[in-house]
Amino acid sequence: MPIVVKRKPLTFLEKLYIPEIVRGLTVTFRRMFFGETVTLEYPEQRPPIPAGYRGVPTLVRDPEGREKCVSCQLCEFVCPPKAIRITPGEIPEDSDYSHVEKAPKEFDIDMLRCIYCGMCQEVCPEEAIWLQNQYSMSGYTRAEMVNNKAKLYELGGTLPDEHFKWNKKKEAAANGGDHGHGPAMPPADMPRSENPEVPPVYPK
Amino acid sequence: MAEEKKENLITVNIDGQDLQVPAGTNMVEAVKMLGKEVPHYCYHPKLSIAGNCRMCLVEMGMPGKDRATGEPMLNEDGTPKIMWMPGPAIACGTNAAPGMHIKTNSPKAVESRESVTEFLLVNHPLDCPICDQAGECKLQEFSASHGRGYSRFIEEKNVKPKRTRLGPRVTLDDERCILCSRCVRFSQEIAKDDVLGFTDRGSYSTLTCFPGKELANNYSLNTVDICPVGALTSTDFRFKMRVWFLKESKSIDLESSVGCNTVVSSREGKVYRVTPRRNDEVNDTWMPDSGRELYKQIESEDRLSYSTVNGSQTSAVEAIKAAAEILKGEGVAIVGSGRNTVEEQFVLKQIADQVNAKGVYLVARYGDGDGILVSKDRNPNVRGALATGLISDLPAEQLSVLASQIDSGEVSTVLASKEDLVAAGLSEEQLKKVKLIVIDTHASATTKNADVAIAGLTQFEKSGSVINQQFRIQKFHKAVPGPVGSIDDLAALSAIQASLSGETFPSVVGTVWEKIAAEGNIFEGLSFKGIADTGVLLDGSAFSGLAFVEGKSLHFEPKLEAAAAE
């Protein structure tokens, strides 16, 4: 047995429609003149990026300006869509950082392939590659969408960390660890990392 | 023979499992036979035993004997009582003895390994991200599997020179050295060029060359291969590519008739290095440095990347058509090469029969044999040409017979494969007198004068087999694709033969082998797939009358001299 719902006939005011139009426009004008805006004028306005956001992968320098990447190619290995391409190179012996020995000659990330998974950042033993808050990339050609080494450092900037991992080697040499036949003494104004005052606690 | 071997077997007990091993086997090898591994750094199966890394410590014990009576001591259940040694023993320096018991995983053995690893890591730098050995480093592997997993060392590490030049091809990173002395022993025992040694003591110890000497012998890069850590690095391969990207293809060193077994490592069509592959019958685990540089020919500047007909570029198909047309004429001579594979020589032989060749020649290539792994005969496959019937006598260094044939007008067409005829004694005028077809990989005076030049492949870009000085047939595999515009030599020769005979002819090694085996010569019953990775020894007695030039080398005794000695 079908249920028949009886439609209520419209009243006179409803038949005029005008009160409903006024009601709708009231909401519109209230939002327009008094309410808070919920949309952004993208791209002039940009939304705040939360911490830990995975944007475009970039290469960073340490506070001394040394490029942190040593071209170990672990990111290239781990990258699921094979977006990263590195050509390793050697740091010349007359460089201040010749004891680091290795740096990338070329470093390309194909942003048409990148899936922003963050594996490269996770695997990096030198904390040299970071997915930062840049999220929009565009270009007219495929070639433009490949970030080369210069572009990656431009996007990456400086990482304000204080590890100075590689300086410890120079310090060790300066403190006699080289038995007199090691690399040259480090410059006097070389920043020194903090020595661990408290010995670490080990498992077992 | 088999019975004699059986008598020499002794029974040892490893981790509760009885195992029969030949007498004289050390514990590392005995445990390996059981499918387990005793970690080791300084021990190398082909070198003398030094026992200085201490990594292979295991617990061992012997069945006890009553001192008074000499009776074996028994447990209550009647099994022999094992008198365990109070301290661990090194597995590499201790030979298995009858009744010996070995524990490789007892708490004492595990503790010993962890302690040794900790000491080895005390001064080892945290270089893995920049170290070329990472990925194939024994210290890295064993630290993960036999180390504590954390460091108690809070002092500053030793600092040593990072790029010492030991020789033209070897760079030493002293910090990474764990003083296993494999390289020192290799130089003394295999290369017979005693140039390496340790100076100073304790943490000052350093690997150095003796004053005024350098590690320059033709086997220096083997020290890099056997270095268990990243201390000795190849100057050529240094910082080029991480090893885990490399695709490994089994290959053969074609620089001489020794035929060292090699592994060609490539990534995305580019070869990065060539390393030896173990073959106890040919090259053990070594190979000469000169053979490692052969891959550079792939990208050399004078590489032919397209075929030409009368000097103008054309497709390989057109070039083959033109070649076959020329070969249909009279007075054809064929110059094969000791660098051709057995398959190519076989097809060349078919072509020679088809065109009624006026002469088939090979060019001999002689150098000095070093008595180890480079022989006097620098052609890798002269024996292949003999076995396929392409030639019946040893080749001469100069093509003087062919030269006179051209001068007399007897020969008017020459098909040459992988040989520069000008270098082999023909003049350019003589080449201009004949119709010349060349299949080669690199530009030469011959390819410049050729009517048809077909761009072929190097050994790294094709598969095939060669027969070495022992009459051992060994195969190599394609590692990288050839350049665009080149064609597999075998496919080109097959196409020419098919065009000449008007019948189809197989063009890949697997199917060509069906024809070779059907010929009923010394290859009978063989197939390309059937050739083992370490090669198959053929019966070369049919050629024992020939005066092969090779002298004595590793695992090879020249037959004529052996006969003379008797």
Side-chain angles (χ1 to χ4, degrees):
Chain A
M1 180 78 184
I3 303 166
V4 179
V5 179
K6 256 198 151 181
R7 193 178 283 276
K8 226 165 65 180
L10 296 176
T11 61
F12 174 70
L13 274 179
E14 280 168 343
K15 277 180 184 164
L16 280 179
Y17 292 110
I18 289 168
E20 286 306 302
I21 291 171
V22 172
R23 205 156 75 99
L25 282 176
T26 315
V27 173
T28 306
F29 285 114
R30 198 177 67 224
R31 285 278 180 206
M32 199 168 153
F33 297 114
F34 310 108
E36 76 292 359
T37 44
V38 288
T39 52
L40 284 174
E41 292 289 335
Y42 187 87
E44 287 79 20
Q45 286 182 324
R46 300 271 172 145
I49 302 298
Y53 182 81
R54 298 203 300 251
V56 171
T58 61
L59 291 177
V60 296
R61 296 177 183 276
D62 76 354
E64 288 177 42
R66 179 182 75 83
E67 56 175 316
K68 298 193 78 166
C69 177
V70 297
S71 63
C72 73
Q73 296 179 294
L74 277 177
C75 49
E76 184 177 355
F77 181 67
V78 80
C79 183
K82 297 192 195 305
I84 303 178
R85 236 346 93 100
I86 300 169
T87 311
E90 192 167 0
I91 299 178
E93 271 188 81
D94 52 7
S95 159
D96 281 351
Y97 298 106
S98 63
H99 61 294
V100 187
E101 296 192 277
K102 228 180 144 187
K105 205 192 281 169
E106 284 161 38
F107 198 120
D108 294 328
I109 304 183
D110 188 345
M111 292 315 298
L112 292 171
R113 282 181 161 238
C114 178
I115 57 170
Y116 302 86
C117 65
M119 301 271 257
C120 47
Q121 176 180 336
E122 197 171 319
V123 80
C124 184
E126 299 286 328
E127 301 187 338
I129 188 165
W130 290 84
L131 275 71
Q132 299 196 39
N133 48 15
Q134 164 101 15
Y135 52 83
S136 109
M137 288 273 305
S138 54
Y140 290 105
T141 60
R142 283 172 183 274
E144 258 178 83
M145 295 301 286
V146 178
N147 286 341
N148 62 14
K149 191 179 151 185
K151 181 86 190 290
L152 289 167
Y153 275 116
E154 186 195 317
L155 288 171
T158 298
L159 185 75
D161 64 346
E162 296 290 331
H163 298 317
F164 300 112
K165 168 182 166 184
W166 290 96
N167 286 354
K168 286 180 183 147
K169 179 159 260 175
K170 279 193 172 179
E171 284 167 29
N175 295 342
D178 62 345
H179 307 305
H181 58 45
M185 298 283 276
D189 58 343
M190 190 185 74
R192 297 176 65 90
S193 62
E194 279 183 11
N195 283 323
E197 301 271 299
V198 187
V201 182
Y202 299 105
K204 282 194 193 174
Chain B
M1 184 79 183
E3 275 182 11
E4 206 178 286
K5 263 193 178 167
K6 247 183 194 168
E7 275 171 29
N8 281 335
L9 287 180
I10 53 172
T11 306
V12 291
N13 183 293
I14 299 164
D15 293 337
Q17 252 179 296
D18 276 337
L19 177 74
Q20 293 210 311
V21 298
T25 312
N26 69 21
M27 295 201 292
V28 173
E29 296 295 334
V31 173
K32 200 173 167 188
M33 286 175 201
L34 204 65
K36 290 187 177 184
E37 185 189 33
V38 178
H40 56 265
Y41 300 112
C42 70
Y43 170 69
H44 189 281
K46 299 291 173 189
L47 296 175
S48 66
I49 286 161
N52 57 13
C53 75
R54 316 310 289 181
M55 190 60 194
C56 60
L57 288 171
V58 293
E59 258 195 283
M60 67 169 264
M62 295 296 289
K65 270 185 188 167
D66 194 305
R67 285 197 186 176
T69 59
E71 290 290 308
M73 292 158 74
L74 297 177
N75 288 325
E76 280 170 13
D77 58 357
T79 52
K81 189 175 180 185
I82 304 301
M83 310 302 282
W84 291 100
M85 299 267 245
I90 49 169
C92 68
T94 316
N95 280 350
M100 180 188 266
H101 278 56
I102 304 167
K103 282 187 202 165
T104 63
N105 264 325
S106 67
K108 195 189 266 178
V110 170
E111 175 70 21
S112 306
R113 286 200 291 265
E114 283 186 358
S115 306
V116 169
T117 303
E118 192 169 25
F119 273 121
L120 287 175
L121 291 176
V122 156
N123 273 317
H124 196 81
L126 276 171
D127 263 359
C128 301
I130 57 162
C131 178
D132 278 331
Q133 192 84 1
E136 54 181 10
C137 173
K138 289 284 175 227
L139 189 63
Q140 203 179 28
E141 285 168 20
F142 294 151
S143 298
S145 53
H146 302 289
R148 278 181 219 277
Y150 60 92
S151 171
R152 296 190 289 179
F153 192 70
I154 54 167
E155 291 81 8
E156 274 175 338
K157 286 181 186 255
N158 258 349
V159 180
K160 287 181 180 177
K162 294 291 275 182
R163 11 186 157 185
T164 312
R165 183 184 176 277
L166 282 189
R169 292 174 292 278
V170 182
T171 305
L172 168 69
D173 189 316
D174 217 339
E175 274 180 358
R176 298 178 190 154
C177 178
I178 58 167
L179 306 171
C180 73
S181 82
R182 272 184 179 185
C183 49
V184 179
R185 280 174 283 148
F186 173 82
S187 300
Q188 288 170 347
E189 294 162 16
I190 310 292
K192 312 271 189 226
D193 181 25
D194 193 3
V195 292
L196 292 175
F198 292 123
T199 53
D200 296 337
R201 297 194 299 180
S203 61
Y204 293 76
S205 285
T206 309
L207 177 70
T208 24
C209 284
F210 293 135
K213 288 189 174 179
E214 61 171 15
L215 184 61
N217 64 63
N218 196 24
Y219 292 88
S220 64
L221 281 171
N222 288 298
T223 61
V224 176
D225 296 330
I226 57 175
C227 184
V229 293
L232 291 165
T233 56
S234 158
T235 311
D236 178 39
F237 181 63
R238 194 173 158 87
F239 299 159
K240 288 272 167 64
M241 189 47 65
R242 308 315 302 270
V243 294
W244 52 76
F245 288 118
L246 299 176
K247 182 190 90 177
E248 299 193 326
S249 319
K250 288 174 180 146
S251 189
I252 302 290
D253 172 12
L254 297 189
E255 69 175 320
S256 79
S257 61
V258 172
C260 290
N261 291 213
T262 61
V263 170
V264 176
S265 302
S266 61
R267 183 188 182 204
E268 294 175 352
K270 185 171 158 51
V271 176
Y272 284 91
R273 65 171 180 185
V274 180
T275 44
R277 172 162 59 94
R278 182 169 174 174
N279 185 344
D280 290 343
E281 306 299 320
V282 179
N283 58 319
D284 285 348
T285 53
W286 325 118
M287 74 174 287
D289 293 358
S290 41
R292 298 175 199 246
E293 295 186 354
L294 292 182
Y295 79 88
K296 290 180 179 165
Q297 63 178 294
I298 299 173
E299 289 181 357
S300 78
E301 299 228 324
D302 55 348
R303 183 78 199 268
L304 291 181
S305 58
Y306 53 85
S307 302
T308 56
V309 173
N310 297 323
S312 56
Q313 181 174 349
T314 177
S315 72
V317 178
E318 289 301 318
I320 288 167
K321 247 187 221 167
E325 219 42 58
I326 292 171
L327 285 172
K328 277 173 188 160
E330 282 293 302
V332 178
I334 290 180
V335 181
S337 172
R339 291 170 166 181
N340 283 140
T341 64
V342 170
E343 298 80 18
E344 288 159 16
Q345 287 166 342
F346 174 77
V347 182
L348 270 175
K349 165 78 177 150
Q350 306 300 310
I351 294 175
D353 291 347
Q354 185 73 36
V355 300
N356 260 328
K358 298 281 177 219
V360 179
Y361 306 97
L362 238 63
V363 180
R365 204 174 266 114
Y366 298 130
D368 288 331
D370 65 1
I372 309 175
L373 287 173
V374 178
S375 68
K376 219 172 159 186
D377 187 353
R378 297 298 167 85
N379 272 331
N381 198 22
V382 170
R383 284 168 178 78
L386 291 165
T388 49
L390 186 64
I391 52 170
S392 53
D393 202 355
L394 290 180
E397 281 184 280
Q398 297 288 316
L399 292 169
S400 42
V401 181
L402 179 61
S404 59
Q405 277 181 320
I406 292 174
D407 288 338
S408 71
E410 189 187 355
V411 165
S412 57
T413 306
V414 176
L415 166 64
S417 172
K418 287 224 170 349
E419 287 294 350
D420 182 4
L421 304 182
V422 176
L426 296 190
S427 66
E428 297 208 19
E429 288 72 46
Q430 283 168 328
L431 292 187
K432 283 188 181 114
K433 274 176 77 176
V434 294
K435 291 237 170 234
L436 182 58
I437 302 158
V438 187
I439 306 176
D440 209 344
T441 52
H442 291 77
S444 65
T446 310
T447 57
K448 268 178 214 129
N449 286 299
D451 295 283
V452 178
I454 299 173
L457 297 180
T458 66
Q459 66 163 114
F460 303 100
E461 296 150 354
K462 63 183 180 186
S463 301
S465 54
V466 292
I467 301 178
N468 81 348
Q469 56 183 3
Q470 308 162 324
F471 270 98
R472 175 180 296 275
I473 185 163
Q474 306 189 102
K475 60 180 175 182
F476 57 90
H477 299 277
K478 176 178 175 171
V480 293
V484 178
S486 59
I487 182 167
D488 190 339
D489 306 47
L490 182 63
L493 290 170
S494 296
I496 289 172
Q497 166 64 6
S499 174
L500 288 174
S501 64
E503 293 164 20
T504 55
F505 199 85
S507 60
V508 287
V509 276
T511 44
V512 171
W513 262 100
E514 286 168 18
K515 285 225 166 206
I516 296 176
E519 288 281 298
N521 42 27
I522 63 171
F523 302 117
E524 202 164 359
L526 263 184
S527 65
F528 189 68
K529 223 176 171 183
I531 301 171
D533 284 337
T534 50
V536 173
L537 203 56
L538 299 176
D539 177 21
S541 55
F543 308 99
S544 56
L546 297 174
F548 290 113
V549 294
E550 286 96 346
K552 188 179 175 336
S553 63
L554 196 67
H555 296 299
F556 179 72
E557 199 74 54
K559 286 223 168 77
L560 283 180
E561 275 181 34
E566 281 168 22

